[in-house]
Amino acid sequence: MPDPQRGNARDVNTLHWHTTAGRFRRASLWLGLFGLLAFLLADLEITTLSPGTELARIGSGFLTPDFAATEFLWHALANTLAFAFQGVALGVIAGFVLALCWQYRAVRTVSAVIRAVHELFWGLIFLQLTGLSPLTGVLAIAVPYAGIFAKVFGEFLEEADGRPARALPTGSPRLAAFFHARLPLILFPLRTYSAYRLECGLRASAILGFIGLPTLGFHLETAFRQGDYSAGAAILYLFFLLIGTLRWWLHRRLLPLYLGAALWWAPPLSTAPAGTLWRFLSEDIVPAPLRQGAGLEGLWHWTLRLMGEQALPGVWHTLVLSSAALLLTALLSLLLFPLISPRFGSPWRRGIGHLLLVVLRTTPEFLLAFILLLLFGPSMLPGIIALALHTSAIVAWLSGRFTLQWPARADGATGVRGYFFEVLPRVYPNLLALLLYRWEIIMRETAILGILGITTLGFFVDAAFAEFRFDRAMLLILVSVLLNLAVDAFSRRLRQHLRLSLNEGRTLARLTPAMPGAAR
């Protein structure tokens, strides 16, 4: 029986692949050509008059952070923590309950749909239902995280060793069998993955400020839009400090205390008047032709017009931007993973590499895109760079960690020869599997970049909410969900074709304790 604290020795890398080099070459070639085509079609125009001057001003602001310039900064920090703790806790509970029924297709479908909708889209929806309240922030995190936790926990349970359960006496109660023979096997990865998700929840909570909730993102957006880069830098440094010190202040024994403080600071209550939910469901999201008595014919024309004018252009731009970002992510990942590999460089250089990757993966891609928009203007270029920087830091970190587990050879090649002839062939399957797995997440993040002004699906969703056309917004969000599910299905088929088997949840769970910002 595998030790739940250490896992199965065969499962060290979690990834198993059995395919040919030819398949890898063909798949990589087609993905590369697809990404190049996306770059040719993408809008990469720089529309600002003097990006160099703006970059110098931002750089100056980062060198002179002003922690006293923002009013209620500590309130925003407390709100960010409170929303994240409550949202992740609620997501863990709901996801665990769903995972117990993971064998049912309906549960898997519901989980896939709710996690395909980004936290910001959920935030925009709940703003209409519960107002500008703590409950909106908590639910915007909890609902999609419930879908994510359900998938990961469900896979943990499916892959758990069944021999302890079979060894129990016949007729043992199912509940007792679960708690004594199955739960202990998944408790360690479940706990560590939840800790990793808390870090993600903090990032999600921060960017909820961009839709008006009083978290760090609200003050960050205000400071940068006003050109007060010293104030913006101070908020960003505070956020880095919060994430970077997680391993020292986040301990599972203190979680009840943190959760109690979060509930006390920001009780999850609604500020919306009674009857809002019923009006939203029975009137607001009902398509306009049906409300106005135009019947099914009117609904058909309304749908066609909305698809032609907004949904299809939004889907096209989302696909182009995400495909270009995927290619740039792959190239950056290949360049960045040696930064933390013991096969390359000295310990101090690996330390700098770790710091760089932590900063890049800690900064939400939405926030990176916002800052780059100030430099380059509202084209696809800021979104592509932001998504690639953030995602490549995650992929490079995980790929670099795999090289730590290889025994060093005294006669092994070093330098460029070692990279191309020894390390890269062994790392590449892991790296490719991670990239394909992250494709759906890149697509999901691409859609919400529209809220910043880039013409992806989120641009039209945000406009519909701003015009109180909730029926349009819900249809466009549905299109976004279908697009994410289609990309996820394609990515999964491609991984099956390459015979790459990756459980990223288990991979992260195994590697998270060593990550800066992970819980002990």
Side-chain angles (χ1 to χ4, degrees):
M1 185 180 77
D3 183 350
Q5 298 296 315
R6 294 182 176 276
N8 192 319
R10 183 178 175 274
D11 197 34
V12 167
N13 286 341
T14 307
L15 169 69
H16 310 292
W17 53 276
H18 306 282
T19 188
T20 63
R23 280 187 175 177
F24 278 129
R25 282 197 295 269
R26 284 192 293 273
S28 302
L29 177 64
W30 281 112
L31 287 172
L33 290 174
F34 193 59
L36 282 175
L37 180 62
F39 262 106
L40 292 175
L41 296 171
D43 172 18
L44 304 177
E45 185 180 4
I46 298 175
T47 56
T48 51
L49 295 177
S50 54
T53 305
E54 200 65 26
L55 180 61
R57 289 188 59 212
I58 292 176
S60 174
F62 273 79
L63 292 175
T64 56
D66 186 353
F67 290 91
T70 304
E71 277 189 302
F72 307 113
L73 179 59
W74 301 108
H75 284 73
L77 178 63
N79 287 333
T80 303
L81 286 164
F83 295 170
F85 270 100
Q86 294 182 56
V88 173
L90 191 56
V92 167
I93 295 170
F96 187 77
V97 172
L98 289 171
L100 297 178
C101 308
W102 193 242
Q103 68 272 26
Y104 299 112
R105 182 183 293 273
V107 172
R108 296 198 298 272
T109 303
V110 169
S111 300
V113 169
I114 60 177
R115 71 171 180 266
V117 181
H118 195 278
E119 294 92 316
L120 280 183
F121 285 163
W122 280 117
L124 288 170
I125 293 172
F126 284 117
L127 272 176
Q128 319 310 319
L129 300 176
T130 56
L132 196 62
S133 66
L135 185 58
T136 296
V138 172
L139 292 178
I141 296 171
V143 174
Y145 276 38
I148 295 170
F149 281 123
K151 178 176 183 292
V152 173
F153 292 172
E155 290 175 351
F156 285 167
L157 285 170
E158 283 181 346
E159 296 175 2
D161 193 337
R163 285 175 293 180
R166 289 195 294 272
L168 292 175
T170 305
S172 298
R174 294 181 62 182
L175 195 61
F178 174 78
F179 280 104
H180 288 94
R182 300 195 67 193
L183 185 60
L185 299 179
I186 66 166
L187 202 54
F188 177 71
L190 187 149
R191 193 170 63 228
T192 50
Y193 184 77
S194 300
Y196 166 75
R197 273 293 154 193
L198 180 61
E199 179 185 326
C200 300
L202 287 169
R203 288 198 294 267
S205 180
I207 67 167
L208 284 174
F210 282 78
I211 60 171
L213 290 171
T215 62
L216 287 175
F218 177 82
H219 297 285
L220 197 64
E221 183 190 19
T222 303
F224 274 94
R225 285 199 187 280
Q226 293 176 345
D228 190 353
Y229 297 133
S230 293
I235 299 170
L236 203 52
Y237 288 152
L238 191 61
F239 182 66
F240 288 154
L241 184 66
L242 180 70
I243 299 291
T245 57
L246 266 175
R247 66 166 62 187
W248 289 293
W249 60 265
L250 182 64
H251 193 289
R252 64 177 183 273
R253 292 176 183 171
L254 296 176
L255 284 178
L257 177 64
Y258 292 145
L259 191 56
L263 289 168
W264 171 79
W265 176 262
L269 301 175
S270 169
T271 58
T276 302
L277 176 61
W278 174 248
R279 191 194 66 198
F280 185 77
L281 295 176
S282 65
E283 185 177 339
D284 292 345
I285 63 172
V286 175
L290 297 183
R291 288 202 309 268
Q292 297 163 359
L296 292 178
E297 185 178 351
L299 177 64
W300 173 250
H301 291 298
W302 176 83
T303 305
L304 283 182
R305 188 168 61 252
L306 188 58
M307 292 295 288
E309 294 176 355
Q310 298 188 9
L312 293 181
V315 167
W316 173 251
H317 292 156
T318 303
L319 274 173
V320 169
L321 197 158
S322 62
S323 302
L326 185 67
L327 176 60
L328 188 57
T329 298
L331 297 176
L332 287 176
S333 301
L334 291 171
L335 290 173
L336 292 176
F337 85 81
L339 292 180
I340 65 166
S341 172
R343 299 302 184 97
F344 307 97
S346 55
W348 68 267
R349 202 173 76 177
R350 291 201 300 276
I352 295 174
H354 269 291
L355 180 63
L356 174 65
L357 296 186
V358 168
V359 169
L360 289 177
R361 75 177 180 84
T362 298
T363 310
E365 51 273 67
F366 188 82
L367 184 56
L368 275 173
F370 172 68
I371 296 173
L372 292 171
L373 272 170
L374 299 174
L375 293 176
F376 302 130
S379 69
M380 292 185 183
L381 185 61
I384 292 171
I385 297 175
L387 287 166
L389 286 175
H390 177 81
T391 311
S392 65
I394 297 172
V395 174
W397 191 88
L398 290 171
S399 300
R401 292 287 300 176
F402 286 128
T403 67
L404 299 178
Q405 302 164 4
W406 302 340
R409 288 174 45 190
D411 60 343
T414 58
V416 176
R417 288 187 60 192
Y419 176 83
F420 282 105
F421 295 105
E422 183 177 347
V423 176
L424 187 57
R426 299 175 71 178
V427 165
Y428 192 71
N430 295 321
L431 192 144
L432 182 60
L434 286 166
L435 282 172
L436 293 175
Y437 185 89
R438 302 290 303 186
W439 194 358
E440 178 211 355
I441 300 171
I442 289 176
M443 184 72 68
R444 184 171 170 267
E445 297 291 337
T446 301
I448 59 138
L449 293 181
I451 293 177
L452 296 175
I454 304 171
T455 54
T456 59
L457 272 170
F459 176 83
F460 301 105
V461 172
D462 191 43
F465 274 110
E467 296 169 356
F468 300 102
R469 294 181 172 180
F470 304 127
D471 50 348
R472 291 189 177 195
M474 297 309 291
L475 180 59
L476 292 168
I477 289 176
L478 177 62
V479 171
S480 171
V481 169
L482 295 175
L483 180 62
N484 282 343
L485 294 180
V487 169
D488 184 41
F490 178 76
S491 168
R492 192 166 52 248
R493 289 290 299 271
L494 189 54
R495 293 201 301 270
Q496 290 171 351
H497 174 71
L498 296 173
R499 299 175 187 174
L500 294 170
S501 172
L502 173 72
N503 181 334
E504 195 192 62
R506 188 173 287 278
T507 302
L508 288 168
R510 289 189 58 78
L511 298 178
T512 292
M515 294 169 68
R520 295 289 186 186

